[in-house]
Amino acid sequence: MKTVKEGEIRRREILDVAQELFITKGYDQTSVNDILKIVDIAKGTFYYYFASKEEVLEAIILDIVEEGARRAERIVKDQSIPLLNRIMMAIMAQAPEFEGSDEIKEELHKVENAKLERLYLKTMLKRMTPVLQEPVRECLEQGIVHTEYPTECIETILLLGHMMFDCDTFEWKMEAYPEKIQAFLCHAERMLGTKEGELSGFLQMFGQMP
């Protein structure tokens, strides 16, 4: 048990140092040797845990997804928040909150890193969809939303929100965001089958994201 615990600590240390270097130096400018020097381990120890620098970045991305999912889980369990609000707040909770997250996202969304982008989307959908299924089911039972495809609705809103606001694909100017956010919320209302204007209160909250 002690060996397993020590292994987990060592792996975590490698990830933490690598993440800090990717943020401060840049992913391309960071070498495996840079990581080794700070963690103070042999190259063989590094390759025991990770096959490559790219695999380290993959692990960091998976951690980002997991952190977002845990924030979402706490939100959907909070009975003090109206049910529909929980769903939208859980979706918004996917945005990374740690210092330097923009640099990690920029690396993720580079054209040459399409594999990492797919990994993020696949993992995010797999992890987040079950988190949101229960509150959406409750909304259906209470007549708050009306949709024949609740799972697909969740997946579509997650993907649309990611493409519009997380990856800067369209390089919109700041003044364009209010209208884009309004459109996103309008489409989310239609997909969920809720009342018109039900999500309008989230305009200001989403407006804090860019």
Side-chain angles (χ1 to χ4, degrees), residues 75-97:
I75 291 168
V76 299
K77 291 176 182 176
D78 189 343
Q79 301 291 324
S80 68
I81 303 173
L83 197 51
L84 189 58
N85 287 14
R86 277 183 252 164
I87 295 171
M88 296 305 297
M89 290 173 67
I91 291 171
M92 293 168 63
Q94 298 316 292
E97 295 181 340

mmCIF file with all atom_site columns, all heavy atoms in Angstrom, residues 75-97:
data_model
loop_
_atom_site.group_PDB
_atom_site.id
_atom_site.type_symbol
_atom_site.label_atom_id
_atom_site.label_alt_id
_atom_site.label_comp_id
_atom_site.label_asym_id
_atom_site.label_entity_id
_atom_site.label_seq_id
_atom_site.pdbx_PDB_ins_code
_atom_site.Cartn_x
_atom_site.Cartn_y
_atom_site.Cartn_z
_atom_site.occupancy
_atom_site.B_iso_or_equiv
_atom_site.pdbx_formal_charge
_atom_site.auth_seq_id
_atom_site.auth_comp_id
_atom_site.auth_asym_id
_atom_site.auth_atom_id
_atom_site.pdbx_PDB_model_num
ATOM 1   N N   . ILE A 1 75 ? -22.659 21.201 -7.546  1.00 0.00 ? 75 ILE A N   1
ATOM 2   C CA  . ILE A 1 75 ? -23.736 22.129 -7.907  1.00 0.00 ? 75 ILE A CA  1
ATOM 3   C C   . ILE A 1 75 ? -25.074 21.405 -8.027  1.00 0.00 ? 75 ILE A C   1
ATOM 4   O O   . ILE A 1 75 ? -26.085 21.849 -7.489  1.00 0.00 ? 75 ILE A O   1
ATOM 5   C CB  . ILE A 1 75 ? -23.399 22.859 -9.225  1.00 0.00 ? 75 ILE A CB  1
ATOM 6   C CG1 . ILE A 1 75 ? -22.232 23.835 -9.002  1.00 0.00 ? 75 ILE A CG1 1
ATOM 7   C CG2 . ILE A 1 75 ? -24.625 23.612 -9.759  1.00 0.00 ? 75 ILE A CG2 1
ATOM 8   C CD1 . ILE A 1 75 ? -21.643 24.383 -10.279 1.00 0.00 ? 75 ILE A CD1 1
ATOM 9   N N   . VAL A 1 76 ? -25.096 20.275 -8.747  1.00 0.00 ? 76 VAL A N   1
ATOM 10  C CA  . VAL A 1 76 ? -26.376 19.591 -8.980  1.00 0.00 ? 76 VAL A CA  1
ATOM 11  C C   . VAL A 1 76 ? -26.944 18.995 -7.692  1.00 0.00 ? 76 VAL A C   1
ATOM 12  O O   . VAL A 1 76 ? -28.144 18.713 -7.610  1.00 0.00 ? 76 VAL A O   1
ATOM 13  C CB  . VAL A 1 76 ? -26.251 18.495 -10.068 1.00 0.00 ? 76 VAL A CB  1
ATOM 14  C CG1 . VAL A 1 76 ? -25.824 19.090 -11.386 1.00 0.00 ? 76 VAL A CG1 1
ATOM 15  C CG2 . VAL A 1 76 ? -25.304 17.389 -9.642  1.00 0.00 ? 76 VAL A CG2 1
ATOM 16  N N   . LYS A 1 77 ? -26.101 18.825 -6.676  1.00 0.00 ? 77 LYS A N   1
ATOM 17  C CA  . LYS A 1 77 ? -26.577 18.294 -5.401  1.00 0.00 ? 77 LYS A CA  1
ATOM 18  C C   . LYS A 1 77 ? -27.070 19.388 -4.456  1.00 0.00 ? 77 LYS A C   1
ATOM 19  O O   . LYS A 1 77 ? -27.647 19.092 -3.406  1.00 0.00 ? 77 LYS A O   1
ATOM 20  C CB  . LYS A 1 77 ? -25.458 17.506 -4.708  1.00 0.00 ? 77 LYS A CB  1
ATOM 21  C CG  . LYS A 1 77 ? -25.104 16.202 -5.412  1.00 0.00 ? 77 LYS A CG  1
ATOM 22  C CD  . LYS A 1 77 ? -23.923 15.518 -4.734  1.00 0.00 ? 77 LYS A CD  1
ATOM 23  C CE  . LYS A 1 77 ? -23.542 14.234 -5.457  1.00 0.00 ? 77 LYS A CE  1
ATOM 24  N NZ  . LYS A 1 77 ? -22.336 13.608 -4.858  1.00 0.00 ? 77 LYS A NZ  1
ATOM 25  N N   . ASP A 1 78 ? -26.856 20.645 -4.824  1.00 0.00 ? 78 ASP A N   1
ATOM 26  C CA  . ASP A 1 78 ? -27.213 21.768 -3.959  1.00 0.00 ? 78 ASP A CA  1
ATOM 27  C C   . ASP A 1 78 ? -28.702 22.083 -4.101  1.00 0.00 ? 78 ASP A C   1
ATOM 28  O O   . ASP A 1 78 ? -29.137 22.737 -5.050  1.00 0.00 ? 78 ASP A O   1
ATOM 29  C CB  . ASP A 1 78 ? -26.378 22.996 -4.338  1.00 0.00 ? 78 ASP A CB  1
ATOM 30  C CG  . ASP A 1 78 ? -26.520 24.136 -3.347  1.00 0.00 ? 78 ASP A CG  1
ATOM 31  O OD1 . ASP A 1 78 ? -27.488 24.118 -2.550  1.00 0.00 ? 78 ASP A OD1 1
ATOM 32  O OD2 . ASP A 1 78 ? -25.671 25.053 -3.368  1.00 0.00 ? 78 ASP A OD2 1
ATOM 33  N N   . GLN A 1 79 ? -29.482 21.614 -3.146  1.00 0.00 ? 79 GLN A N   1
ATOM 34  C CA  . GLN A 1 79 ? -30.934 21.774 -3.185  1.00 0.00 ? 79 GLN A CA  1
ATOM 35  C C   . GLN A 1 79 ? -31.387 23.220 -3.034  1.00 0.00 ? 79 GLN A C   1
ATOM 36  O O   . GLN A 1 79 ? -32.544 23.545 -3.312  1.00 0.00 ? 79 GLN A O   1
ATOM 37  C CB  . GLN A 1 79 ? -31.576 20.923 -2.074  1.00 0.00 ? 79 GLN A CB  1
ATOM 38  C CG  . GLN A 1 79 ? -31.277 19.434 -2.172  1.00 0.00 ? 79 GLN A CG  1
ATOM 39  C CD  . GLN A 1 79 ? -31.958 18.794 -3.368  1.00 0.00 ? 79 GLN A CD  1
ATOM 40  O OE1 . GLN A 1 79 ? -33.071 19.160 -3.733  1.00 0.00 ? 79 GLN A OE1 1
ATOM 41  N NE2 . GLN A 1 79 ? -31.298 17.826 -3.987  1.00 0.00 ? 79 GLN A NE2 1
ATOM 42  N N   . SER A 1 80 ? -30.491 24.097 -2.618  1.00 0.00 ? 80 SER A N   1
ATOM 43  C CA  . SER A 1 80 ? -30.866 25.506 -2.444  1.00 0.00 ? 80 SER A CA  1
ATOM 44  C C   . SER A 1 80 ? -30.933 26.247 -3.781  1.00 0.00 ? 80 SER A C   1
ATOM 45  O O   . SER A 1 80 ? -31.453 27.360 -3.847  1.00 0.00 ? 80 SER A O   1
ATOM 46  C CB  . SER A 1 80 ? -29.867 26.220 -1.516  1.00 0.00 ? 80 SER A CB  1
ATOM 47  O OG  . SER A 1 80 ? -28.590 26.328 -2.125  1.00 0.00 ? 80 SER A OG  1
ATOM 48  N N   . ILE A 1 81 ? -30.413 25.634 -4.833  1.00 0.00 ? 81 ILE A N   1
ATOM 49  C CA  . ILE A 1 81 ? -30.402 26.253 -6.161  1.00 0.00 ? 81 ILE A CA  1
ATOM 50  C C   . ILE A 1 81 ? -31.556 25.683 -6.972  1.00 0.00 ? 81 ILE A C   1
ATOM 51  O O   . ILE A 1 81 ? -31.749 24.465 -7.005  1.00 0.00 ? 81 ILE A O   1
ATOM 52  C CB  . ILE A 1 81 ? -29.070 25.974 -6.896  1.00 0.00 ? 81 ILE A CB  1
ATOM 53  C CG1 . ILE A 1 81 ? -27.885 26.462 -6.060  1.00 0.00 ? 81 ILE A CG1 1
ATOM 54  C CG2 . ILE A 1 81 ? -29.068 26.621 -8.280  1.00 0.00 ? 81 ILE A CG2 1
ATOM 55  C CD1 . ILE A 1 81 ? -26.537 26.068 -6.625  1.00 0.00 ? 81 ILE A CD1 1
ATOM 56  N N   . PRO A 1 82 ? -32.342 26.523 -7.639  1.00 0.00 ? 82 PRO A N   1
ATOM 57  C CA  . PRO A 1 82 ? -33.420 26.006 -8.495  1.00 0.00 ? 82 PRO A CA  1
ATOM 58  C C   . PRO A 1 82 ? -32.896 24.985 -9.488  1.00 0.00 ? 82 PRO A C   1
ATOM 59  O O   . PRO A 1 82 ? -31.774 25.108 -9.988  1.00 0.00 ? 82 PRO A O   1
ATOM 60  C CB  . PRO A 1 82 ? -33.938 27.272 -9.198  1.00 0.00 ? 82 PRO A CB  1
ATOM 61  C CG  . PRO A 1 82 ? -33.607 28.387 -8.254  1.00 0.00 ? 82 PRO A CG  1
ATOM 62  C CD  . PRO A 1 82 ? -32.305 27.998 -7.614  1.00 0.00 ? 82 PRO A CD  1
ATOM 63  N N   . LEU A 1 83 ? -33.713 23.993 -9.785  1.00 0.00 ? 83 LEU A N   1
ATOM 64  C CA  . LEU A 1 83 ? -33.286 22.837 -10.561 1.00 0.00 ? 83 LEU A CA  1
ATOM 65  C C   . LEU A 1 83 ? -32.686 23.212 -11.915 1.00 0.00 ? 83 LEU A C   1
ATOM 66  O O   . LEU A 1 83 ? -31.587 22.736 -12.278 1.00 0.00 ? 83 LEU A O   1
ATOM 67  C CB  . LEU A 1 83 ? -34.475 21.892 -10.752 1.00 0.00 ? 83 LEU A CB  1
ATOM 68  C CG  . LEU A 1 83 ? -34.195 20.457 -11.190 1.00 0.00 ? 83 LEU A CG  1
ATOM 69  C CD1 . LEU A 1 83 ? -33.149 19.806 -10.321 1.00 0.00 ? 83 LEU A CD1 1
ATOM 70  C CD2 . LEU A 1 83 ? -35.501 19.660 -11.156 1.00 0.00 ? 83 LEU A CD2 1
ATOM 71  N N   . LEU A 1 84 ? -33.370 24.018 -12.684 1.00 0.00 ? 84 LEU A N   1
ATOM 72  C CA  . LEU A 1 84 ? -32.866 24.380 -14.009 1.00 0.00 ? 84 LEU A CA  1
ATOM 73  C C   . LEU A 1 84 ? -31.576 25.178 -13.910 1.00 0.00 ? 84 LEU A C   1
ATOM 74  O O   . LEU A 1 84 ? -30.663 25.018 -14.734 1.00 0.00 ? 84 LEU A O   1
ATOM 75  C CB  . LEU A 1 84 ? -33.929 25.183 -14.770 1.00 0.00 ? 84 LEU A CB  1
ATOM 76  C CG  . LEU A 1 84 ? -33.639 25.454 -16.251 1.00 0.00 ? 84 LEU A CG  1
ATOM 77  C CD1 . LEU A 1 84 ? -33.453 24.159 -17.024 1.00 0.00 ? 84 LEU A CD1 1
ATOM 78  C CD2 . LEU A 1 84 ? -34.767 26.276 -16.867 1.00 0.00 ? 84 LEU A CD2 1
ATOM 79  N N   . ASN A 1 85 ? -31.487 26.018 -12.889 1.00 0.00 ? 85 ASN A N   1
ATOM 80  C CA  . ASN A 1 85 ? -30.254 26.780 -12.672 1.00 0.00 ? 85 ASN A CA  1
ATOM 81  C C   . ASN A 1 85 ? -29.079 25.863 -12.396 1.00 0.00 ? 85 ASN A C   1
ATOM 82  O O   . ASN A 1 85 ? -27.952 26.135 -12.817 1.00 0.00 ? 85 ASN A O   1
ATOM 83  C CB  . ASN A 1 85 ? -30.432 27.755 -11.508 1.00 0.00 ? 85 ASN A CB  1
ATOM 84  C CG  . ASN A 1 85 ? -31.326 28.925 -11.873 1.00 0.00 ? 85 ASN A CG  1
ATOM 85  O OD1 . ASN A 1 85 ? -32.008 28.893 -12.894 1.00 0.00 ? 85 ASN A OD1 1
ATOM 86  N ND2 . ASN A 1 85 ? -31.350 29.943 -11.025 1.00 0.00 ? 85 ASN A ND2 1
ATOM 87  N N   . ARG A 1 86 ? -29.336 24.776 -11.678 1.00 0.00 ? 86 ARG A N   1
ATOM 88  C CA  . ARG A 1 86 ? -28.269 23.822 -11.388 1.00 0.00 ? 86 ARG A CA  1
ATOM 89  C C   . ARG A 1 86 ? -27.667 23.259 -12.662 1.00 0.00 ? 86 ARG A C   1
ATOM 90  O O   . ARG A 1 86 ? -26.454 23.076 -12.777 1.00 0.00 ? 86 ARG A O   1
ATOM 91  C CB  . ARG A 1 86 ? -28.797 22.676 -10.519 1.00 0.00 ? 86 ARG A CB  1
ATOM 92  C CG  . ARG A 1 86 ? -28.851 22.984 -9.034  1.00 0.00 ? 86 ARG A CG  1
ATOM 93  C CD  . ARG A 1 86 ? -29.317 21.776 -8.276  1.00 0.00 ? 86 ARG A CD  1
ATOM 94  N NE  . ARG A 1 86 ? -30.671 21.939 -7.759  1.00 0.00 ? 86 ARG A NE  1
ATOM 95  C CZ  . ARG A 1 86 ? -31.435 20.957 -7.336  1.00 0.00 ? 86 ARG A CZ  1
ATOM 96  N NH1 . ARG A 1 86 ? -31.002 19.710 -7.393  1.00 0.00 ? 86 ARG A NH1 1
ATOM 97  N NH2 . ARG A 1 86 ? -32.644 21.190 -6.855  1.00 0.00 ? 86 ARG A NH2 1
ATOM 98  N N   . ILE A 1 87 ? -28.537 22.946 -13.617 1.00 0.00 ? 87 ILE A N   1
ATOM 99  C CA  . ILE A 1 87 ? -28.071 22.368 -14.876 1.00 0.00 ? 87 ILE A CA  1
ATOM 100 C C   . ILE A 1 87 ? -27.161 23.350 -15.605 1.00 0.00 ? 87 ILE A C   1
ATOM 101 O O   . ILE A 1 87 ? -26.046 23.001 -16.029 1.00 0.00 ? 87 ILE A O   1
ATOM 102 C CB  . ILE A 1 87 ? -29.268 21.981 -15.773 1.00 0.00 ? 87 ILE A CB  1
ATOM 103 C CG1 . ILE A 1 87 ? -30.067 20.856 -15.116 1.00 0.00 ? 87 ILE A CG1 1
ATOM 104 C CG2 . ILE A 1 87 ? -28.792 21.566 -17.171 1.00 0.00 ? 87 ILE A CG2 1
ATOM 105 C CD1 . ILE A 1 87 ? -31.381 20.561 -15.810 1.00 0.00 ? 87 ILE A CD1 1
ATOM 106 N N   . MET A 1 88 ? -27.593 24.594 -15.751 1.00 0.00 ? 88 MET A N   1
ATOM 107 C CA  . MET A 1 88 ? -26.806 25.583 -16.476 1.00 0.00 ? 88 MET A CA  1
ATOM 108 C C   . MET A 1 88 ? -25.523 25.942 -15.726 1.00 0.00 ? 88 MET A C   1
ATOM 109 O O   . MET A 1 88 ? -24.464 26.120 -16.337 1.00 0.00 ? 88 MET A O   1
ATOM 110 C CB  . MET A 1 88 ? -27.644 26.834 -16.731 1.00 0.00 ? 88 MET A CB  1
ATOM 111 C CG  . MET A 1 88 ? -28.838 26.611 -17.629 1.00 0.00 ? 88 MET A CG  1
ATOM 112 S SD  . MET A 1 88 ? -28.399 25.864 -19.237 1.00 0.00 ? 88 MET A SD  1
ATOM 113 C CE  . MET A 1 88 ? -27.363 27.158 -19.931 1.00 0.00 ? 88 MET A CE  1
ATOM 114 N N   . MET A 1 89 ? -25.599 26.035 -14.404 1.00 0.00 ? 89 MET A N   1
ATOM 115 C CA  . MET A 1 89 ? -24.405 26.350 -13.621 1.00 0.00 ? 89 MET A CA  1
ATOM 116 C C   . MET A 1 89 ? -23.393 25.221 -13.683 1.00 0.00 ? 89 MET A C   1
ATOM 117 O O   . MET A 1 89 ? -22.180 25.450 -13.702 1.00 0.00 ? 89 MET A O   1
ATOM 118 C CB  . MET A 1 89 ? -24.794 26.643 -12.174 1.00 0.00 ? 89 MET A CB  1
ATOM 119 C CG  . MET A 1 89 ? -25.549 27.952 -12.004 1.00 0.00 ? 89 MET A CG  1
ATOM 120 S SD  . MET A 1 89 ? -26.189 28.198 -10.317 1.00 0.00 ? 89 MET A SD  1
ATOM 121 C CE  . MET A 1 89 ? -24.657 28.370 -9.396  1.00 0.00 ? 89 MET A CE  1
ATOM 122 N N   . ALA A 1 90 ? -23.883 23.977 -13.735 1.00 0.00 ? 90 ALA A N   1
ATOM 123 C CA  . ALA A 1 90 ? -22.992 22.823 -13.856 1.00 0.00 ? 90 ALA A CA  1
ATOM 124 C C   . ALA A 1 90 ? -22.279 22.836 -15.204 1.00 0.00 ? 90 ALA A C   1
ATOM 125 O O   . ALA A 1 90 ? -21.094 22.497 -15.295 1.00 0.00 ? 90 ALA A O   1
ATOM 126 C CB  . ALA A 1 90 ? -23.783 21.532 -13.687 1.00 0.00 ? 90 ALA A CB  1
ATOM 127 N N   . ILE A 1 91 ? -22.998 23.236 -16.249 1.00 0.00 ? 91 ILE A N   1
ATOM 128 C CA  . ILE A 1 91 ? -22.382 23.347 -17.568 1.00 0.00 ? 91 ILE A CA  1
ATOM 129 C C   . ILE A 1 91 ? -21.304 24.429 -17.558 1.00 0.00 ? 91 ILE A C   1
ATOM 130 O O   . ILE A 1 91 ? -20.195 24.242 -18.076 1.00 0.00 ? 91 ILE A O   1
ATOM 131 C CB  . ILE A 1 91 ? -23.451 23.655 -18.638 1.00 0.00 ? 91 ILE A CB  1
ATOM 132 C CG1 . ILE A 1 91 ? -24.364 22.434 -18.827 1.00 0.00 ? 91 ILE A CG1 1
ATOM 133 C CG2 . ILE A 1 91 ? -22.800 24.052 -19.960 1.00 0.00 ? 91 ILE A CG2 1
ATOM 134 C CD1 . ILE A 1 91 ? -25.568 22.695 -19.698 1.00 0.00 ? 91 ILE A CD1 1
ATOM 135 N N   . MET A 1 92 ? -21.615 25.556 -16.938 1.00 0.00 ? 92 MET A N   1
ATOM 136 C CA  . MET A 1 92 ? -20.659 26.656 -16.861 1.00 0.00 ? 92 MET A CA  1
ATOM 137 C C   . MET A 1 92 ? -19.440 26.289 -16.016 1.00 0.00 ? 92 MET A C   1
ATOM 138 O O   . MET A 1 92 ? -18.354 26.846 -16.210 1.00 0.00 ? 92 MET A O   1
ATOM 139 C CB  . MET A 1 92 ? -21.338 27.894 -16.272 1.00 0.00 ? 92 MET A CB  1
ATOM 140 C CG  . MET A 1 92 ? -22.404 28.489 -17.175 1.00 0.00 ? 92 MET A CG  1
ATOM 141 S SD  . MET A 1 92 ? -23.424 29.724 -16.326 1.00 0.00 ? 92 MET A SD  1
ATOM 142 C CE  . MET A 1 92 ? -22.196 30.958 -15.926 1.00 0.00 ? 92 MET A CE  1
ATOM 143 N N   . ALA A 1 93 ? -19.600 25.335 -15.111 1.00 0.00 ? 93 ALA A N   1
ATOM 144 C CA  . ALA A 1 93 ? -18.505 24.944 -14.213 1.00 0.00 ? 93 ALA A CA  1
ATOM 145 C C   . ALA A 1 93 ? -17.384 24.211 -14.936 1.00 0.00 ? 93 ALA A C   1
ATOM 146 O O   . ALA A 1 93 ? -16.353 23.923 -14.334 1.00 0.00 ? 93 ALA A O   1
ATOM 147 C CB  . ALA A 1 93 ? -19.049 24.067 -13.081 1.00 0.00 ? 93 ALA A CB  1
ATOM 148 N N   . GLN A 1 94 ? -17.569 23.914 -16.227 1.00 0.00 ? 94 GLN A N   1
ATOM 149 C CA  . GLN A 1 94 ? -16.530 23.213 -16.978 1.00 0.00 ? 94 GLN A CA  1
ATOM 150 C C   . GLN A 1 94 ? -15.348 24.110 -17.295 1.00 0.00 ? 94 GLN A C   1
ATOM 151 O O   . GLN A 1 94 ? -14.258 23.618 -17.623 1.00 0.00 ? 94 GLN A O   1
ATOM 152 C CB  . GLN A 1 94 ? -17.110 22.636 -18.279 1.00 0.00 ? 94 GLN A CB  1
ATOM 153 C CG  . GLN A 1 94 ? -18.205 21.625 -18.073 1.00 0.00 ? 94 GLN A CG  1
ATOM 154 C CD  . GLN A 1 94 ? -17.872 20.637 -16.973 1.00 0.00 ? 94 GLN A CD  1
ATOM 155 O OE1 . GLN A 1 94 ? -16.968 19.819 -17.110 1.00 0.00 ? 94 GLN A OE1 1
ATOM 156 N NE2 . GLN A 1 94 ? -18.579 20.723 -15.867 1.00 0.00 ? 94 GLN A NE2 1
ATOM 157 N N   . ALA A 1 95 ? -15.518 25.409 -17.235 1.00 0.00 ? 95 ALA A N   1
ATOM 158 C CA  . ALA A 1 95 ? -14.410 26.321 -17.521 1.00 0.00 ? 95 ALA A CA  1
ATOM 159 C C   . ALA A 1 95 ? -13.336 26.168 -16.443 1.00 0.00 ? 95 ALA A C   1
ATOM 160 O O   . ALA A 1 95 ? -13.623 26.311 -15.257 1.00 0.00 ? 95 ALA A O   1
ATOM 161 C CB  . ALA A 1 95 ? -14.911 27.761 -17.562 1.00 0.00 ? 95 ALA A CB  1
ATOM 162 N N   . PRO A 1 96 ? -12.079 25.849 -16.812 1.00 0.00 ? 96 PRO A N   1
ATOM 163 C CA  . PRO A 1 96 ? -11.007 25.690 -15.815 1.00 0.00 ? 96 PRO A CA  1
ATOM 164 C C   . PRO A 1 96 ? -10.816 26.957 -15.008 1.00 0.00 ? 96 PRO A C   1
ATOM 165 O O   . PRO A 1 96 ? -10.925 28.071 -15.541 1.00 0.00 ? 96 PRO A O   1
ATOM 166 C CB  . PRO A 1 96 ? -9.767  25.399 -16.681 1.00 0.00 ? 96 PRO A CB  1
ATOM 167 C CG  . PRO A 1 96 ? -10.300 24.895 -17.977 1.00 0.00 ? 96 PRO A CG  1
ATOM 168 C CD  . PRO A 1 96 ? -11.606 25.613 -18.178 1.00 0.00 ? 96 PRO A CD  1
ATOM 169 N N   . GLU A 1 97 ? -10.502 26.798 -13.728 1.00 0.00 ? 97 GLU A N   1
ATOM 170 C CA  . GLU A 1 97 ? -10.413 27.949 -12.839 1.00 0.00 ? 97 GLU A CA  1
ATOM 171 C C   . GLU A 1 97 ? -9.000  28.220 -12.331 1.00 0.00 ? 97 GLU A C   1
ATOM 172 O O   . GLU A 1 97 ? -8.764  29.226 -11.687 1.00 0.00 ? 97 GLU A O   1
ATOM 173 C CB  . GLU A 1 97 ? -11.341 27.739 -11.627 1.00 0.00 ? 97 GLU A CB  1
ATOM 174 C CG  . GLU A 1 97 ? -12.819 27.696 -11.980 1.00 0.00 ? 97 GLU A CG  1
ATOM 175 C CD  . GLU A 1 97 ? -13.706 27.521 -10.765 1.00 0.00 ? 97 GLU A CD  1
ATOM 176 O OE1 . GLU A 1 97 ? -13.185 27.062 -9.717  1.00 0.00 ? 97 GLU A OE1 1
ATOM 177 O OE2 . GLU A 1 97 ? -14.902 27.841 -10.847 1.00 0.00 ? 97 GLU A OE2 1
#
